[in-house]
Amino acid sequence: MAGSGGLAGGAGGSQGTVGGPGAAIRASRAPLLFAALVLGAYCLCALPGRCPPAGRVPAPAPARAEPPRASRSPGAPGLPVASGSGRRRFPQALIVGVKKGGTRALLEFLRLHPDIRALGSEPHFFDRSLMPRTLDGQITLEKTPSYFVTREAPRRIHSMSPATKLIVVVRNPVTRAISDYAQTLSKTPGLPSFGALAFRRGLGPVDTAWSAVRIGLYAQHLDNWLRHFPLSRFLFVSGERLVSDPAGELGRVQDFLGLKRVVTDKHFYFNATKGFPCLKKAQGSGRPHCLGKSKGRPHPRVPEAVVQRLRAFYRPFNRKFYQMTGQDFGWD
């Protein structure tokens, strides 16, 4: 009984006692031997012709050659290098406003400069495929006058490039509003009179909901922009001086853009019929060039009482704008 009890206890407690040291060593080597057998079988099967066809893992198909990706333009994230000469870039400078202030004239004058590339149309900023190709050292310029009065524009432009230079062409807001009305009237004959649209109930309160009036509230629009850009990113161009001294205003713009003063008074002559300066030679042409017939169109006659009421309305906004910009535009 004692012997059988000892045998049972030894078998249940330690197999090493029953089988001896050799059994323990064999037990510890078993996992290693199994791993070696599996590895050997795999290596043998991997040799050409040694594995049955069904057991082989098919070789991966050769990777397709992808077309080379366009490199990115430094300082213009997301814009690929254009094929051919130059690159398509986000604009480094924008003429953001204002409508009927002289933005088209400024753009045409600036296009004379060899280091400026700009579209003739208004691409509204985000359509990158429309951007012209520029070489290193050239500036891509875009003009869309509605930006200055579009509430979302400053944030969107800042998110794209906070270093963008911003040019605002401003003009006496009363004259600008009448010019705006004249343009609309040419397209939509039969509009109510300017005074009827500018004021509620005859000569009652000014109707700031009318876009022709609202655009001239420059101080309010600039306040929105200054939430996203410092004043140093702006240049304010006088629409009046762009007519009376185009070379002087163009000099300021070229300085602001960091360009050599190439466009000078030798490029302009005054067209008495249109009432504003024209180019002696257009870009890529040896002939004189004036802006189209839509520029310089005659304004409708507006009663003096309407003009004076509107001047009084704009006066505090103008003075605040002078303070904000540090420039007195002489509208009052």
Side-chain angles (χ1 to χ4, degrees):
M1 291 290 295
S4 63
L7 180 60
S14 173
Q15 292 183 358
T17 304
V18 175
I25 294 173
R26 285 193 300 271
S28 63
R29 288 178 178 174
L32 295 176
L33 290 173
F34 178 75
L37 287 172
V38 173
L39 182 60
Y42 173 81
C43 294
L44 184 63
C45 191
L47 293 175
R50 300 303 300 270
C51 286
R56 284 188 187 167
V57 177
R64 270 187 181 178
E66 293 186 3
R69 293 184 179 180
S71 58
R72 299 293 179 185
S73 169
L79 286 178
V81 175
S83 59
S85 177
R87 306 171 182 222
R88 297 192 195 279
R89 311 170 193 258
F90 278 125
Q92 296 102 314
L94 295 171
I95 301 174
V96 297
V98 297
K99 180 185 178 186
K100 308 307 295 179
T103 58
R104 167 58 60 177
L106 178 61
L107 181 71
E108 292 298 315
F109 298 162
L110 283 173
R111 291 176 78 185
L112 288 176
H113 201 293
D115 291 335
I116 288 180
R117 296 299 311 279
L119 288 176
S121 60
E122 297 173 5
H124 296 270
F125 192 73
F126 295 103
D127 194 346
R128 290 174 257 170
S129 63
L130 293 178
M131 290 299 164
R133 293 185 178 93
T134 54
L135 303 173
D136 290 341
Q138 288 183 318
I139 289 177
T140 303
L141 180 69
E142 185 214 320
K143 173 190 83 80
T144 303
S146 63
Y147 290 159
F148 191 63
V149 299
T150 302
R151 190 160 189 82
E152 300 80 13
R155 177 184 56 79
R156 291 175 180 172
I157 294 172
H158 185 272
S159 67
M160 189 249 355
S161 177
T164 303
K165 294 184 177 182
L166 305 162
I167 302 171
V168 188
V169 187
V170 288
R171 181 184 184 188
N172 185 319
V174 177
T175 310
R176 197 223 65 81
I178 296 172
S179 180
D180 198 338
Y181 172 77
Q183 182 183 54
T184 306
L185 186 64
S186 69
K187 298 176 181 178
T188 315
L191 279 179
S193 69
F194 177 84
L197 293 172
F199 299 95
R200 304 190 192 106
R201 301 185 301 276
L203 286 182
V206 174
D207 189 358
T208 55
W210 186 32
S211 64
V213 169
R214 188 175 64 254
I215 289 172
L217 302 174
Y218 304 143
Q220 289 187 358
H221 303 309
L222 179 58
D223 185 61
N224 182 41
W225 281 84
L226 292 178
R227 295 172 187 170
H228 302 273
F229 289 92
L231 191 64
S232 60
R233 305 308 305 175
F234 291 85
L235 178 70
F236 300 93
V237 175
S238 165
E240 287 81 12
R241 286 196 293 270
L242 201 57
V243 173
S244 63
D245 182 20
E249 286 300 279
L250 263 291
R252 294 179 60 239
V253 176
Q254 291 170 93
D255 292 346
F256 176 67
L257 296 176
L259 300 174
K260 182 180 178 181
R261 288 197 176 194
V262 172
V263 185
T264 63
D265 54 2
K266 69 181 180 182
H267 291 95
F268 301 99
Y269 75 95
F270 189 81
N271 186 304
T273 303
K274 282 189 167 289
F276 56 74
C278 299
L279 297 172
K280 291 181 179 178
K281 294 181 180 180
Q283 183 189 37
S285 171
R287 295 182 298 175
H289 171 67
C290 278
L291 298 179
K293 62 181 181 179
S294 65
K295 307 299 180 182
R297 64 165 60 91
H299 289 178
R301 184 184 175 279
V302 177
E304 187 62 22
V306 170
V307 173
Q308 292 302 328
R309 283 287 310 277
L310 209 51
R311 282 180 180 167
F313 166 76
Y314 278 122
R315 190 168 292 119
F317 296 99
N318 292 343
R319 290 176 178 172
K320 183 179 179 183
F321 186 64
Y322 299 166
Q323 293 173 353
M324 294 172 77
T325 61
Q327 294 178 234
D328 186 336
F329 292 90
W331 298 325
D332 302 306

